[in-house]
C-alpha cells in the first residue's frame, strides 16, 4: 500500500511544489491549509499538473479538533509541515501571531500526531536561525542567533523537535534549513504569488520586469562582498521539493532523524540576480542603490555537503533556471488571484 503523507501548508509556495514531487514519487498526499496565504485555485492547478484529484482539508493547524478528525479518518505515515507565517517584518509587528501559528501550531500538530501514533515529521526551518553567522559557507553546527520573532519561531520549533526526539525514541524528525528558495515549476502552473508588494528579491524583480513595479531598490552596495551587494544562496524550489522527498524517504525507510541545510553551496549577489533575470526575461530592470535594509545579513551561503551525505541531495538547477522559470510563471497561464484567507 502507498504511504500516506499529510502536507500542511501544501497550497503555499514550497508546499505546492512539494505536493507535485511527492505525487510523482508515488505517495498518497492530503493537504491541510487554511488558505490565509494561498489561492484556492492552486488546488485546480495541482489537479491539472498531476492529473489526479487533490484531497484538501481547509483547516487551521491550530484547530486540534479538526486535526484529530483528519487523523482518525486517515492513517498518515508521516507529516511534512510547511504551514507557518513567514514574513520577517510582519513578525516584528505581530510577534504573538507568529508564536501562535508557528510554535503553538506545531505543538498542536505534534500532540495530535502522537495520539494517532504517527511520529515522523519533516519540518521547514530556515537559514535565518543562523542570524549573522561567523562562518560562511555556514555549517549546521553554527549557533542559533534569533534576529527577529520569525527567526525565533524556527529556532523554537527545532528545539522542541530535538527535545521530543531525545525524550521519546519513537519520534523521528527531519529538520530542513532552507536558504533562499526561488523560481517556479517548469509547467509554469504554480509559483510564488505574494499577495502584497513582495519582500523578497526575486518576486520583486519579477514584478519590475513585468512593468508592475517601477524599479528595484538595491538595499546597499557597501557590504564586504565582491560587488558590495548582499549575497545569498538561491535554491530552485523544485530542487527544494525534491529535498523533502529524500528527507521523507530517509525518515520512513531508515527511521533516521536528521538536520540539514538545503542550499547549493554557491552565493549570488543582488547584481548577479538582476543580470540573470534580465537575460531570462529580455526586459529592462531599472534598479537604484538605496540604504541598507535594517536587519539584513551580508552573506548567507550554505555548507551543503551534509544533505548530500545523509540524504543524497544535490541541487540540479542554476540561477538562470530559477529566473527563467520565475519569468515563465509570471507571464504564464495562471491568473493572479488573491489569497482567500
Ligand atoms: P507560504 O506562505 O507560501 O506557504 C505557507 C502555507 O501555509 C500557505 O499556503 C498558508 O495559507 C498556510 N498556512 C499559514 N498559516 C496556516 C495555519 N494557521 N493553518 C493552516 N495553514 C496555514 O510560504 P512558503 O514560502 O511556501 O513557506 C513554507 C514554509 O517554509 C514555512 O514554514 C516557512 O517559514 C518556511 N521557509 C520559507 C522560506 C522562504 O523564503 N519562502 C525560507 C525558509 C523557510
Ligand atoms: C535577498 C537579498 C536583500 C529585496 C528573507 C528572510 C529569511 C527567509 C527568506 C524564510 C538581500 C536584497 C531584497 C529588494 C534588495 N525566509 N534585496 N532589494 O533577506 O535573504 O531572507 O527571506 O525563512 O528568513 O529574512 O531574502 O529575498 O529578502 O533578500 O536589494 O527589494 O536581496 O538586501 O541581500 P533574505 P530577500
Amino acid at each position: 500500500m502507498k504511504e500516506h503523507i499529510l502536507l500542511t501548508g501544501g497550497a503555499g509556495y514550497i508546499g505546492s511544489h512539494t505536493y507535485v514531487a511527492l505525487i510523482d514519487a508515488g505517495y498518497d498526499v492530503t493537504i491541510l491549509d487554511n488558505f490565509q496565504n494561498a489561492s484556492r485555485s492552486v488546488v485546480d492547478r495541482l489537479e491539472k499538473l498531476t492529473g489526479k484529484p487533490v484531497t484538501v482539508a481547509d483547516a487551521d493547524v491550530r484547530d486540534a479538533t479538526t486535526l484529530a478528525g483528519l487523523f482518525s479518518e486517515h492513517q498518515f505515515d508521516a507529516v511534512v509541515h510547511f504551514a507557518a507565517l513567514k514574513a520577517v517584518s510582519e513578525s516584528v509587528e505581530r510577534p504573538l501571531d507568529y508564536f501562535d501559528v508557528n510554535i503553538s501550531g506545531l505543538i498542536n500538530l505534534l500532540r495530535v500526531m502522537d495520539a494517532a501514533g504517527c511520529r515522523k515529521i519533516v519540518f521547514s526551518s530556515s537559514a535565518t536561525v543562523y542570524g549573522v553567522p561567523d562562518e560562511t559557507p555556514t555549517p549546521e553546527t553554527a549557533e542559533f542567533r534569533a534576529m527577529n520573532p520569525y527567526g525565533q519561531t524556527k529556532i523554537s520549533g527545532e528545539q522542541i523537535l530535538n527535545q521530543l526526539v531525545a525524550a521519546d525514541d519513537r519520534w523521528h524528525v527531519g529538520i530542513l534549513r532552507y536558504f533562499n528558495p526561488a523560481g517556479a515549476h517548469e509547467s509554469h502552473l504554480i509559483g510564488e504569488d505574494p499577495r502584497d508588494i513582495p519582500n523578497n528579491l526575486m518576486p520583486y524583480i519579477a514584478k519590475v520586469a513585468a512593468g508592475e513595479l517601477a524599479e528595484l531598490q538595491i538595499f546597499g552596495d557597501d557590504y564586504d562582498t565582491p560587488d558590495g551587494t548582499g549575497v545569498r544562496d538561491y535554491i530552485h524550489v523544485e530542487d527544494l521539493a525534491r529535498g523533502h522527498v529524500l528527507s521523507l524517504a530517509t525518515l520512513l525507510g531508515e527511521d533516521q532523524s536528521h538536520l540539514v541545510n538545503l542550499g547549493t553551496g554557491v552565493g549570488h549577489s543582488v547584481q548577479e540576480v538582476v543580470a540573470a533575470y534580465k537575460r531570462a526575461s529580455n526586459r529592462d530592470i531599472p534598479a537604484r542603490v538605496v540604504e541598507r535594509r535594517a536587519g539584513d545579513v551580508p552573506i548567507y551561503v550554505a555548507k551543503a555537503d551534509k544533505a548530500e551525505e545523509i540524504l543524497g541531495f544535490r541541487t540540479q538547477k542554476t540561477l538562470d533556471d530559477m529566473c527563467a522559470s520565475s519569468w515563465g510563471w509570471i507571464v504564464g497561464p495562471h491568473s493572479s488571484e488573491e489569497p482567500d484567507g
Side-chain angles (χ1 to χ4, degrees), residues 10 33 49 85 145 159 191 193 204 255 260 266 284 288 297 301 328:
D33 204 298
L49 240 172
L85 301 179
R145 288 180 185 161
Q159 289 174 328
D193 203 1
Y204 199 104
D255 275 355
V260 296
V266 176
D284 189 28
R288 181 168 56 97
V297 177
V301 175

Side-chain angles (χ1 to χ4, degrees), residues 119-175:
R119 298 189 184 86
K120 293 183 177 178
I121 183 167
V122 178
F123 178 68
S124 298
S125 190
S126 167
T128 198
V129 301
Y130 298 125
V132 183
D134 294 333
E135 211 180 321
T136 190
T138 305
E140 289 84 350
T141 47
E143 66 185 44
F144 284 140
R145 288 180 185 161
M147 301 271 285
N148 47 60
Y150 169 73
Q152 181 59 55
T153 67
K154 293 298 173 186
I155 293 172
S156 299
E158 287 199 20
Q159 289 174 328
I160 286 165
L161 290 167
N162 286 333
Q163 290 298 332
L164 187 60
V165 169
D168 182 344
D169 61 11
R170 294 173 302 171
W171 279 92
H172 299 284
V173 310
I175 295 175

Side-chain angles (χ1 to χ4, degrees), residues 273-339:
V273 178
V274 172
Y277 214 97
K278 274 186 188 166
R279 286 196 296 275
S281 63
N282 208 15
R283 296 283 177 99
D284 189 28
I285 299 171
R288 181 168 56 97
V289 177
V290 298
E291 288 295 289
R292 290 180 177 192
R293 181 171 64 180
D296 251 353
V297 177
I299 305 184
Y300 262 137
V301 175
K303 191 158 189 310
D305 47 351
K306 193 173 171 203
E308 182 165 1
E309 262 165 50
I310 294 183
L311 307 180
F313 175 75
R314 271 186 89 149
T315 57
Q316 294 169 351
K317 292 180 184 267
T318 63
L319 180 62
D320 285 328
D321 296 328
M322 296 176 223
C323 296
S325 59
S326 161
W327 184 240
W329 154 247
I330 291 291
V331 297
H334 85 290
S335 53
S336 188
E337 308 96 348
E338 282 297 299

Side-chain angles (χ1 to χ4, degrees), residues 9 11-15 32-38 59-62 81-86 101 124-126 150 154 178-179 181 200:
Y13 172 45
I14 307 170
L32 177 141
D33 204 298
N34 69 354
F35 294 92
Q36 75 86 36
N37 198 33
D60 195 300
V61 76
R62 293 164 295 177
H81 181 46
F82 289 108
L85 301 179
K86 66 160 182 176
V101 174
S124 298
S125 190
S126 167
Y150 169 73
K154 293 298 173 186
Y178 321 148
F179 278 64
N200 294 120

Side-chain angles (χ1 to χ4, degrees), residues 73-92:
E73 203 182 316
H74 305 284
Q75 202 164 5
F76 295 116
D77 297 285
V79 176
V80 181
H81 181 46
F82 289 108
L85 301 179
K86 66 160 182 176
V88 169
S89 55
E90 190 184 61
S91 82
V92 179

Side-chain angles (χ1 to χ4, degrees), residues 73-113:
E73 203 182 316
H74 305 284
Q75 202 164 5
F76 295 116
D77 297 285
V79 176
V80 181
H81 181 46
F82 289 108
L85 301 179
K86 66 160 182 176
V88 169
S89 55
E90 190 184 61
S91 82
V92 179
E93 288 155 25
R94 298 167 32 207
L96 292 172
D97 288 342
Y98 275 68
F99 299 151
D100 193 32
V101 174
N102 296 9
I103 303 175
S104 305
L106 171 66
I107 295 171
N108 191 46
L109 173 66
L110 295 172
R111 271 196 182 283
V112 175
M113 289 174 67

